[in-house]
Amino acid sequence: MDRDAVTVVPEAATAHQIPRRERANAFRALRSRPFRWYFAGQIASASGTFVQATAVGWLVLQLTGSPASLGVVLAAGGVPPLLFGPWGGVVADRVDLRRLLIGTQVVSGLLAAVLWAAAVTGRAGIPLVIGVTVAGGVVQIVDSPARQAFVAQLVPSTDLASAASVNGVVMNSARVVGPALAGLLIAFIGTTPCFAVNAISYLAVVGALVAIRPTAPATAAVRARSDGVLSALRYARTRQQLWLPLTMMALVGLFAFNFPVLLPVLAESTFHGTGGTYGLLSTMLSIGSVGGSLAVGLVRHPRRTYLVTTAAAFGISLAATAVVPNLATACAALIATGFAGFSFVTMASTALQLHADPSYRGRIMALWVFVFLGTTPIGSLITGWIIDASGPRAALLVGALSCLVAAAIAGRVRTPPHPDGPDGPE
């Protein structure tokens, strides 16, 4: 399409004219009591999720000894979102999000309990792990866009940027706590307790969702306007602030965000480590991720130039991680990688939520989940093959190149004015 065809400020822009003093506070969304409840529940649940994800990666690698097999197992969970992910947003735009999330979290907790029971009885083999992973992917089809869209119902519109940032901090803090706890459990007890931790953690988020009463529930009028996926695609196609982050994330997500496949092999094969080494590398990545998400909360508006900068920085830091000589420098490089990578992710996600009309927000965020997580099956397989053929360092360099290509594309796109900027295009 003609990149200059759209010249109007997006519908959501006027709703997000945030005073400068307010923007300086990255945690202003926590003033909302419903969001605080949601925040607390998500911390517990997300931490449990990453405890289990770390344990699954290590368990599969120990059972198979093959990075390609690990890639296949992890890819299995992404198949349902890859095939049906965008339609999850249609559901999210038409139903009560709080009730939908209660249901998805209960089912997710039950799946974790099945894996826990199988591990206790010694039946946690590859077929069962794949089955649970695929079932979790089915739940994710509606759960992921619903969680993204639900945040907008918990805070005033002026605090949405902060809420998106804090929500990113939740997930990235969980990436610190989860792998660190999993590393300790794996090293001293084994993988089985990790599945128990995840199953129990869902009680917190379900309890929070039961207690929450959204401050801005979706109206019947908004739901009535919700039609299908093609309508959302047409809507996104005419707005650079929507299709540009989606396009960039498709490239970056496919080749660069494959850490569950990369880090176990980097820990075991490159640095000759143990489960504790894997947990350490994951923790270093997550420490940087928390810092990156927090930094986005201080940004006045997620402008295109910030997307260019963070994508390029992500590529450079991935390249640095690929060439470091030892574990200590790898940890330092992964902190920088986490900071840059999740600055980009949180920035792009925030831009989509700020610029999407409420009637389309569920479907736009479903497209976001699709390009971020739905590309996992293809990305995991490609990364596994690259690792088998040339090692994890080569896979990191491929990811770095994809980030630089995404940054170059964004650098050539001309977008309409951002809400807090001057009258002319940026």
Side-chain angles (χ1 to χ4, degrees), residues 80-381:
L82 176 65
L83 297 177
F84 306 108
W87 283 268
V90 177
V91 177
D93 279 334
R94 291 179 177 174
V95 303
D96 184 284
L97 292 178
R98 187 179 70 93
R99 293 180 180 177
L100 176 62
L101 287 171
I102 290 173
T104 59
Q105 298 306 294
V106 168
V107 173
S108 296
L110 291 174
L111 289 173
V114 167
L115 199 51
W116 175 21
V120 169
T121 58
R123 299 178 180 176
I126 297 301
L128 179 67
V129 172
I130 291 177
V132 170
T133 303
V134 171
V138 173
V139 175
Q140 190 182 80
I141 291 173
V142 293
D143 179 72
S144 293
R147 280 191 289 108
Q148 297 276 351
F150 188 56
V151 170
Q153 296 185 14
L154 303 179
V155 296
S157 60
T158 52
D159 288 345
L160 183 55
S162 170
S165 175
V166 172
N167 205 40
V169 170
V170 169
M171 297 305 296
N172 294 321
S173 297
R175 291 176 189 272
V176 176
V177 176
L181 178 57
L184 290 174
L185 292 173
I186 293 170
F188 293 103
I189 305 176
T191 56
T192 300
C194 297
F195 308 132
V197 168
N198 188 38
I200 295 171
S201 72
Y202 282 101
L203 296 175
V205 69
V206 171
L209 288 167
V210 170
I212 283 174
R213 292 297 178 268
T215 59
T219 64
V222 167
R223 290 178 188 160
R225 292 174 55 189
S226 173
D227 35 36
V229 175
L230 290 179
S231 174
L233 288 171
R234 287 192 296 267
Y235 174 73
R237 183 173 58 86
T238 60
R239 290 157 174 81
Q240 285 94 329
Q241 290 96 333
L242 299 181
W243 69 254
L244 180 60
L246 290 170
T247 301
M248 294 178 74
M249 193 66 245
L251 270 173
V252 174
L254 184 62
F255 296 106
F257 269 96
N258 295 301
F259 296 111
V261 180
L262 275 163
L263 293 187
V265 185
L266 200 66
E268 184 180 55
S269 300
T270 303
F271 298 118
H272 311 290
T274 64
T277 308
Y278 172 35
L280 174 65
L281 293 178
S282 298
T283 300
M284 294 301 104
L285 178 73
S286 301
I287 288 173
S289 303
V290 172
S293 295
L294 280 172
V296 172
L298 298 173
V299 170
R300 289 159 56 184
H301 193 82
R303 299 175 59 181
R304 176 182 59 88
T305 50
Y306 298 154
L307 292 176
V308 173
T309 301
T310 52
F314 187 27
I316 293 169
S317 58
L318 278 172
T321 305
V323 300
V324 292
N326 53 50
L327 181 61
T329 50
C331 288
L334 283 170
I335 291 175
T337 297
F339 187 96
F342 286 88
S343 290
F344 166 73
V345 169
T346 309
M347 191 90 64
S349 173
T350 303
L352 291 173
Q353 294 198 53
L354 285 171
H355 290 288
D357 184 271
S359 64
Y360 284 96
R361 188 171 287 133
R363 281 165 290 168
I364 293 299
M365 298 318 295
L367 293 174
W368 164 255
V369 172
F370 176 72
V371 298
F372 186 15
L373 301 178
T375 54
T376 296
I378 302 172
S380 295
L381 289 173

